[in-house]
Amino acid sequence: MSQTATQGAAGAAPAGAMPQRAGLILGALVVVALVALFAGARYGLLLAIGLGFGIALEGMRFGFAGPWRAMILRREPSGVLAQLLSIALVAVVAIPLLSSHAGELIGAQAPIGFAMIGGAFVFGACMQIVLGCGSGTLVNAGSGNPVSLLALPFFALGSFAGAWNLIWWTDLGALPILTLSGGAGLGVTLVLLALAAAIFLWRAAPGTVKLSRRHAIAAVLLALLAIGNLLVAGQPWGVVYGLGLWAAKGYAALGGDLSASAFWAAPGSMERVQSSVLTDYTSLTDIGIILGAFGVAAWRRGALASKLPSYPARAWVATIVAGFLLGYSSRLAFGCNVGAFFSGISTGSLHGWVWFVAAFAGAFLGIRLRPLLGLEART
Amino acid sequence: MTRSFTAALALAFLAALLVFDLATTPPNPYQAPALLAFGSGSIASGGFCGALPN
C-alpha cells in the first residue's frame, strides 16, 4: 500500500466527499437489507460478511498473491506470516466446533490426488501471472483493476468447466479425505503452521523479520469474518464454487444440457442451478467482496481517478487464458487460495497443506512468466 | 480512461447477473433457513468448492 493512499484513506475527508461516503454506507445497508428481506436473513448476513471481506482485503491492501510474490522476489515474509496467523486463529475456533457440531458445520475437506496437486500448481502459477487469486480477482475487479476485470468472467467459465470434468480428473487417482480433527488435530495444525512460519522467517531477508501492524490487523479481521462465515453458512469461506455456478446458470439459460456432466447433473448441483444466487453462500460472499472493494476504492480520494495501465495485446490474451485456468485448476484442486489453502487448513483438511506446497511451487513459475507475457505495466 | 470506468463495468456485471438471476430464479424468503447454521440443528448443504457431488 502506498503511503499516500494510506493517508488518503485515514485522513480527514474534504467536504465534498462526505455525502459520497454517506451514500456508500447507506447503499451497503440498503443492499444487505433488501437481500435479507427478499431472500432471507441468513443470506443478508452472508452478503454483509462478504462486504466485510471486500472492505478488509481492499482497505488493508491485503491478499494472497502479493504476499507470496513479496516472499519469493524480495524475501519479505510479513504478508505470508499474516496469512498463517489468520489461518491459525480460525483453526482454533473452527476445528473444535466441527467436532462438537458435526453435520451442522462442515469443513473444507477434500481428497489429495494427482489432479488436485496439478491443479494447485497451475493455480499458483496463474495467480502470479495476473496477480490475483480467487479473492484477489474479485477485490481487484471491484476496485477497477482492468486485468482482474477481464480475468473474472473467464475465471467463472473455467470454474464451470473444471467442475464439469471434476469426476474424470479425480478418478485419475486420489486418496480418501484425510483430516486433522479434535484437540490433537488442532494441535498438529498449529504446530505445522508454526513450522511453516519458521521456514519463512528463516528464508527472510535481513531486516524484514517482522509482522507489520497492517498485516496483523488484516489477519485478525479476516479470521473474524471467516469464523462468522462458518457459523452463519455452516461451511467455510469459499470463492470458486459461486463463480462456476454463475456460468452454469448462464449455460442452462442458453439451452445447454447440464445432465451431460456428472458434477452438474448431481441433485445438489441441479438444485442450486435452479435456485437464486442470492441463496448460494459463496455467490453472496463473492458479490459482497466485489461491492466491498468497490466501496473502499470509491471511499479513497482519487483511487478511482487513477489512469488505467497500458499493456500489450499478448498481456490481454494471457489474462484471458490465465483467468480460465484459474477457474479450471481451482476446481480440480478442490479450491483456491481461499477454499483450499485458507479454509482447508483452518478446518483440518490435509489437502489444504498439499495445495499450499504445490501452489507455492507454481508461484515461482508464474512470477517468471508474468513479465514475459507483458503483464508488467509500461506506466 | 480511469479506474472509474472499469469499476463501473464491474458493478454493471454484477447488476446484469442479479437481474438475470431474479428474472429466472427469484428467491423465496418463506423458505429461508434459520439466521445461523450454528445451533440450527440442520445439516449443512450449501455448495462448496471442496465438495464432490453427492
Side-chain angles (χ1 to χ4, degrees), chain A residues 84-140:
Chain A
L84 298 175
L85 170 64
S86 195
I87 291 170
L89 293 173
V90 177
V92 166
V93 177
I95 292 178
L97 282 182
L98 290 173
S99 295
S100 63
H101 290 73
E104 208 174 70
L105 306 180
I106 55 170
Q109 295 162 351
I112 298 165
F114 294 119
M116 185 247 118
I117 295 170
F121 180 88
V122 171
F123 188 91
C126 290
M127 83 180 210
Q128 290 301 329
I129 289 172
V130 298
L131 258 187
C133 48
S135 52
T137 300
L138 300 174
V139 168
N140 294 342

Side-chain angles (χ1 to χ4, degrees), chain A residues 37-43 97 101 103-104 108-110 141 143-144 149 231-237 240-241 246 249 253 263 266-267 272 274-277 290-291 294 303-308 331 334, chain B residues 1-11 13-14 17-18 20-22 24-54:
Chain A
L37 195 61
F38 291 104
R42 182 187 294 189
Y43 305 123
L97 282 182
H101 290 73
E104 208 174 70
Q109 295 162 351
S143 59
L149 183 64
L231 297 178
V232 175
Q235 65 185 46
W237 178 27
V240 296
Y241 180 87
W246 300 353
K249 288 175 74 76
F263 182 92
R272 281 183 281 276
Q274 291 162 0
S275 303
S276 170
V277 295
I290 296 173
L291 292 177
F294 170 81
L304 292 179
S306 58
K307 206 175 160 191
L308 295 179
R331 289 318 317 258
F334 295 106
Chain B
M1 202 177 291
T2 67
R3 278 185 169 233
S4 297
F5 175 72
T6 40
L9 280 181
L11 293 189
F13 171 79
L14 276 190
L17 171 74
L18 292 177
F20 161 73
D21 181 69
L22 292 172
T24 53
T25 51
N28 182 353
Y30 298 103
Q31 293 179 343
L35 179 63
L36 301 181
F38 179 71
S40 68
S42 301
I43 299 295
S45 60
F48 191 75
C49 37
L52 282 163
N54 47 25

Side-chain angles (χ1 to χ4, degrees), chain A residues 22-333:
Chain A
L24 287 169
I25 294 171
L26 185 64
L29 292 174
V30 167
V31 169
V32 168
L34 284 175
V35 171
L37 195 61
F38 291 104
R42 182 187 294 189
Y43 305 123
L45 193 49
L46 254 300
L47 179 64
I49 289 171
L51 280 166
F53 278 126
I55 292 167
L57 289 166
E58 176 65 13
M60 303 307 294
R61 299 273 190 191
F62 187 63
F64 291 82
W68 287 23
R69 181 179 169 88
M71 183 66 217
I72 291 169
L73 283 181
R74 301 187 298 276
R75 292 194 291 147
E76 293 172 1
S78 178
V80 183
L81 293 176
Q83 292 168 7
L84 298 175
L85 170 64
S86 195
I87 291 170
L89 293 173
V90 177
V92 166
V93 177
I95 292 178
L97 282 182
L98 290 173
S99 295
S100 63
H101 290 73
E104 208 174 70
L105 306 180
I106 55 170
Q109 295 162 351
I112 298 165
F114 294 119
M116 185 247 118
I117 295 170
F121 180 88
V122 171
F123 188 91
C126 290
M127 83 180 210
Q128 290 301 329
I129 289 172
V130 298
L131 258 187
C133 48
S135 52
T137 300
L138 300 174
V139 168
N140 294 342
S143 59
N145 179 316
V147 171
S148 290
L149 183 64
L150 178 62
L152 180 57
F154 294 96
F155 197 140
L157 289 172
S159 175
F160 168 64
W164 186 290
N165 302 133
L166 179 61
I167 309 298
W168 184 88
W169 282 104
T170 304
D171 283 347
L172 292 178
L175 296 170
I177 295 173
L178 302 170
T179 58
L180 298 165
S181 59
L186 174 60
V188 172
T189 298
L190 294 179
V191 168
L192 288 173
L193 286 166
L195 276 174
I199 291 170
F200 287 121
L201 287 170
W202 170 56
R203 296 297 303 156
T208 65
V209 183
K210 61 181 178 184
L211 175 62
S212 75
R213 185 168 173 270
R214 171 171 66 89
H215 284 153
I217 293 171
V220 173
L221 289 176
L222 276 196
L224 291 173
L225 289 164
I227 292 166
N229 193 117
L230 177 66
L231 297 178
V232 175
Q235 65 185 46
W237 178 27
V239 168
V240 296
Y241 180 87
L243 299 180
L245 181 64
W246 300 353
K249 288 175 74 76
Y251 181 77
L254 292 171
D257 180 14
L258 291 172
S259 66
S261 160
F263 182 92
W264 291 111
S269 303
M270 274 295 189
E271 185 185 341
R272 281 183 281 276
V273 170
Q274 291 162 0
S275 303
S276 170
V277 295
L278 297 178
T279 63
D280 174 63
Y281 303 133
T282 54
S283 293
L284 284 164
T285 46
D286 288 353
I287 292 168
I289 288 171
I290 296 173
L291 292 177
F294 170 81
V296 171
W299 185 285
R300 284 192 179 118
R301 275 184 287 165
L304 292 179
S306 58
K307 206 175 160 191
L308 295 179
S310 172
Y311 296 106
R314 71 177 189 280
W316 298 112
V317 174
T319 298
I320 290 171
V321 174
F324 183 87
L325 287 176
L326 278 170
Y328 197 95
S329 63
S330 58
R331 289 318 317 258
L332 307 194

